Amino acid sequence: MPKIISIHSFRPGTGKSQLTANIATILAAAGQRVAIIDSDVSSPSIQAIFGVADSAITHSLNDFLWGKCGIEATAVELNSSIRHALKGQLYLVPFATRNSTIDYDILLLSDSFELLINTLGLDVLLIDTQPGVQFAALPSIAFSDIQLLVLQLREQDLQGTGVVIDISEQLGIDEMVLVVNQIPEHYNLREVQQKIEQIYQRPVLAALPYAELLAEYQPATDANAHIFVVDHPDHPISLLLTNVAATLTA
Ligand SMILES: Nc1ncnc2c1ncn2[C@@H]1O[C@H](COP(=O)(O)OP(=O)(O)OP(=O)(O)O)[C@@H](O)[C@H]1O
Ligand SMILES: [Mg+2]
């Protein structure tokens, strides 16, 4: 069964886009057919991480929802921008073109996800959502099979994540899982994982350390993807993300 997974967080900057891009690449490298919906319209991070130029983005999901194009026109192929051959297939689907407004009939959104999955033959649809509980993020989350919540060890995140979980429960999300990211060096990762699981009573798929190497990953300015797991396949974060990807798609 194909899976729709939204990657979300209460606060901006927790690492959603980095984790989404890397998990997608891991899955596609293992032979799966994967698409990422980039919901960030003001600075499309997924597009930047994979080194896709604005000129390559001709149509968006928003255009499809307005009947302006077919669903296949919204998908940008990403395999050729990655320097490792992927066994599977990877696509980017921009929610809207840069700086345009997302405005659509919510009832059509769920159908558009299904059509995307069927037309591209997807195994996994990952949605890099907008942070917070603002209206822009909620429809995508509501139509997901799994919500992956990314948080850091900050007071604001700890409280906000509780709020997000409450709202997602009301939206009827069956499966909510967590990843704790950017954990400062002196913490015991296993203890953090157990503590956060206790607080929210949800599985914590990984407790990821803060890594200078990953912090340095800037959006690509050339036409190539800059993907951490491709460049550092044996780094602890890459190994932990491989587990996360496997659990999400099990
Ligand atoms: N484990 C980590 N260690 C160090 N830096 C990290 C880690 N994870 C992510 N980062 C860095 O944190 C910054 C924010 O990450 P990212 O853009 O993925 O967050 P985001 O949640 O998508 O933000 P936004 O909500 O603004 O879309 C980036 O510079 C990224 O490289
Ligand atoms: Mg982002």
Side-chain angles (χ1 to χ4, degrees), residues 35-92:
I36 309 171
I37 295 180
D38 188 351
S39 314
D40 193 343
V41 179
S42 53
S43 72
S45 313
I46 298 292
Q47 184 191 330
I49 291 169
F50 285 98
V52 176
D54 278 356
S55 58
I57 309 284
T58 52
H59 297 92
S60 67
L61 194 60
N62 207 39
D63 293 332
F64 169 77
L65 293 166
W66 281 93
K68 291 184 188 162
C69 67
I71 197 77
E72 65 288 342
T74 65
V76 180
E77 182 273 332
L78 293 178
N79 289 49
S80 53
S81 67
I82 297 177
R83 62 179 175 81
H84 255 56
L86 302 176
K87 265 200 274 169
Q89 190 67 44
L90 189 52
Y91 298 98
L92 162 69

Side-chain angles (χ1 to χ4, degrees), residues 3-8 141-149 165 168-169 171-178 201-203 205 244 246-250:
K3 275 191 178 162
I4 304 175
I5 303 168
S6 53
I7 294 82
H8 188 221
I141 293 166
F143 297 131
S144 300
D145 301 305
I146 304 178
Q147 181 184 22
L148 171 64
L149 274 166
I165 289 176
S168 297
E169 273 173 353
L171 289 174
I173 311 296
D174 293 333
E175 210 176 327
M176 268 175 263
V177 293
L178 307 169
Q201 296 293 306
R202 304 274 168 187
L205 302 192
V244 172
T247 309
L248 286 173
T249 52

Side-chain angles (χ1 to χ4, degrees), residues 3-6 95 104-114 117 125 127 137-147 171-173:
K3 275 191 178 162
I4 304 175
I5 303 168
S6 53
F95 210 129
Y104 57 89
D105 180 346
I106 291 173
L107 297 177
L108 295 178
L109 190 65
S110 166
D111 290 349
S112 77
F113 289 170
E114 206 168 300
I117 288 170
L125 176 60
I127 310 172
L138 298 183
S140 296
I141 293 166
F143 297 131
S144 300
D145 301 305
I146 304 178
Q147 181 184 22
L171 289 174
I173 311 296

Side-chain angles (χ1 to χ4, degrees), residues 18 44-45 47-51 216-222 224 226:
Q18 274 298 341
S45 313
Q47 184 191 330
I49 291 169
F50 285 98
E216 285 162 5
Y217 266 64
Q218 297 301 329
T221 47
D222 50 21
N224 297 307
H226 291 198

